[in-house]
Amino acid sequence: MAVFASRRLARWIPGLLRNLTRRRLRRWIESVHDVQSMQEVVEFYMNRSIRTTTWGLSQDGLEKFQPGKAHVFVSNHRDIVMDPAFTNLLLHRAGFSTLQIGVGDNLLKKPFVADLMRLNKSFIVHRSLKGRELLLALQLLSEYIHHCVEDSENVWIAQREGRAKDGIDRTDPALVKMLAMGKRKLPLYESLAGLHIVPVAISYEFDPCDEFKARELHEVRTTGSFTRTAAGDLRHIAAGMTRFKGRVHVAFGEELRCENEDAEAVAAAVDRQIIRNYRLYETNYRALEILLDEGELNSPALRQAAASRNVDIRSRDLFDRRLARVEGELRKLYLFGYANPVISRYECEAGAN
């Protein structure tokens, strides 16, 4: 929060700025007495974040929706907090009801974070439970999501557990099955149809956590595992809020036509919309171009895609400067994190032909 107040002062006098920001927050929080007033505080910081950490926030697809009709927005997941926050802000600006947001229980280990999440209309997605406890929790979660939609409340939930650290967006069929559990007496497709599911694709020109993600992937590849910590999650949250993102785009897809009993087929239908609607930037094509030039990929079709783009010099030069700071052992993973959305688009379009 202090960084939002002043980036320069945050570097020069961080302690003093933290105290001043804490006082300002205390004054604002004293005015918070319900969800609406809490979201007004969040909106202030969101607008400041857009001004200071992006080249602009845009959207397409919202014009298709009708006020008063609720949806479950199944989104790709790139940033812990900012994905639902940007989606929420765009809905609010367009006059739609704000979101009930699904949040993993791993993010609620610190009580103050849990309280803030709940005040901002978040609900818990339990991931640490096992066996029957997990089954009961998923049943309750699904029933709650159905209740929200029936009560004209929009819902945001990630397409799978965790962020897509490698840039590959894939929906977990287990999510589809969970969403259908709330109406267990109905066929899967009929239960899902009542949720009015809309796939959402959010894209960041510059991923604020790109190096963090590459490091996690590298650790998994070299040691076989990565241990998440509450402190690490908070660092990623802070980076997502304060680091530069370039342009950010949220694409709202078409309401899913649920006509299939196969959860994997439904998940694939969500994927197709997310992959096709994902806005590709110069950073994606530049990363692909470098991987092709360095022999990490060998595809004439992908080379043609990279060569035929309209080069955005500002974006390319900034990407090259950021890449130059990436440690050698992380470089390939870093590049694929940006290039994979282009590869996914090509594979999706090739599969449709």
Side-chain angles (χ1 to χ4, degrees):
M1 293 295 187
V3 175
F4 289 155
S6 171
R7 287 181 173 275
R8 185 173 297 176
L9 290 177
R11 290 194 298 268
W12 291 350
I13 48 173
L16 176 59
L17 188 60
R18 277 196 298 270
N19 288 333
L20 292 173
T21 303
R22 190 177 295 115
R23 291 179 186 177
R24 177 184 291 181
L25 279 173
R26 186 177 294 115
R27 288 198 302 270
W28 280 1
I29 294 302
E30 286 173 354
S31 69
V32 172
H33 49 81
D34 56 15
V35 170
Q36 177 64 32
S37 53
M38 178 64 191
Q39 292 198 325
E40 289 172 0
V41 173
V42 172
E43 183 181 6
F44 174 88
Y45 277 107
M46 283 299 301
N47 287 329
R48 177 170 286 187
S49 174
I50 292 167
R51 290 196 305 271
T52 60
T53 73
T54 80
W55 281 334
L57 171 66
S58 59
Q59 68 85 20
D60 63 70
L62 273 180
E63 66 281 354
K64 299 189 294 281
F65 304 125
Q66 301 173 356
K69 181 180 180 181
H71 297 273
V72 172
F73 295 101
V74 177
S75 176
N76 64 333
H77 196 20
R78 298 306 176 89
D79 188 86
I80 295 171
V81 168
M82 301 310 289
D83 291 354
F86 281 131
T87 307
N88 211 16
L89 182 65
L90 289 167
L91 285 166
H92 174 69
R93 286 178 175 178
F96 295 99
S97 65
T98 53
L99 296 162
Q100 295 272 350
I101 300 168
V103 178
D105 57 3
N106 59 294
L107 300 178
L108 305 179
K109 294 177 181 177
K110 290 189 177 294
F112 79 92
V113 175
D115 291 341
L116 286 175
M117 291 292 187
R118 290 189 179 94
L119 277 171
N120 201 30
K121 293 174 65 176
S122 297
F123 58 88
I124 300 172
V125 179
H126 288 283
R127 293 171 177 161
S128 56
L129 301 177
K130 302 293 182 183
R132 181 170 174 76
E133 278 190 324
L134 177 60
L135 182 63
L136 292 173
L138 292 175
Q139 175 73 37
L140 183 61
L141 172 62
S142 184
E143 290 174 358
Y144 179 74
I145 291 172
H146 278 266
H147 168 75
C148 287
V149 174
E150 291 166 1
D151 204 33
S152 299
E153 289 271 3
N154 288 315
V155 174
W156 182 97
I157 195 164
Q159 66 181 156
R160 70 181 191 193
E161 179 181 344
R163 292 164 294 162
K165 299 178 182 67
D166 56 6
I168 299 175
D169 298 315
R170 292 291 183 271
T171 303
D172 188 348
L175 171 73
V176 176
K177 295 175 183 177
M178 180 279 291
L179 290 173
M181 289 174 69
K183 302 286 184 180
R184 298 185 70 174
K185 294 182 179 180
L186 298 178
L188 182 139
Y189 71 90
E190 194 172 338
S191 178
L192 295 177
L195 296 176
H196 309 297
I197 295 171
V198 173
V200 173
I202 185 166
S203 53
Y204 298 83
E205 189 171 12
F206 295 92
D207 188 326
C209 294
D210 47 16
E211 286 190 70
F212 288 151
K213 293 176 181 178
R215 189 172 300 281
E216 286 188 26
L217 291 172
H218 180 263
E219 186 169 332
V220 170
R221 290 192 178 189
T222 54
T223 69
S225 65
F226 176 79
T227 303
R228 296 186 62 169
T229 65
D233 285 337
L234 288 176
R235 279 197 300 273
H236 286 216
I237 289 171
M241 293 173 67
T242 62
R243 290 186 178 180
F244 186 67
K245 306 165 190 66
R247 287 166 289 188
V248 181
H249 186 76
V250 181
F252 296 87
E254 301 285 342
E255 182 176 331
L256 209 62
R257 296 180 62 183
C258 299
E259 301 172 340
N260 202 309
E261 278 291 295
D262 183 357
E264 291 188 1
V266 175
V270 174
D271 291 345
R272 284 192 293 272
Q273 286 204 43
I274 289 176
I275 291 168
R276 289 170 177 168
N277 292 337
Y278 187 96
R279 175 161 292 184
L280 297 171
Y281 292 109
E282 170 66 23
T283 51
N284 305 111
Y285 288 109
R286 178 59 175 156
L288 177 65
E289 182 178 58
I290 293 170
L291 288 167
L292 288 163
D293 289 344
E294 294 181 353
E296 297 293 347
L297 291 169
N298 182 19
S299 168
L302 288 174
R303 185 169 290 281
Q304 176 62 29
S308 62
R309 76 190 190 278
N310 293 320
V311 176
D312 183 329
I313 295 175
R314 177 181 67 166
S315 181
R316 183 195 64 189
D317 290 350
L318 178 55
F319 181 80
D320 287 350
R321 291 198 299 273
R322 288 165 63 108
L323 178 62
R325 299 195 297 266
V326 176
E327 297 175 28
E329 61 187 8
L330 307 180
R331 191 172 184 275
K332 180 179 174 181
L333 293 168
Y334 182 95
L335 287 168
F336 268 107
Y338 281 96
N340 274 329
V342 187
I343 298 171
S344 294
R345 174 79 62 82
Y346 167 74
E347 292 174 345
C348 184
E349 292 177 350
N353 295 329

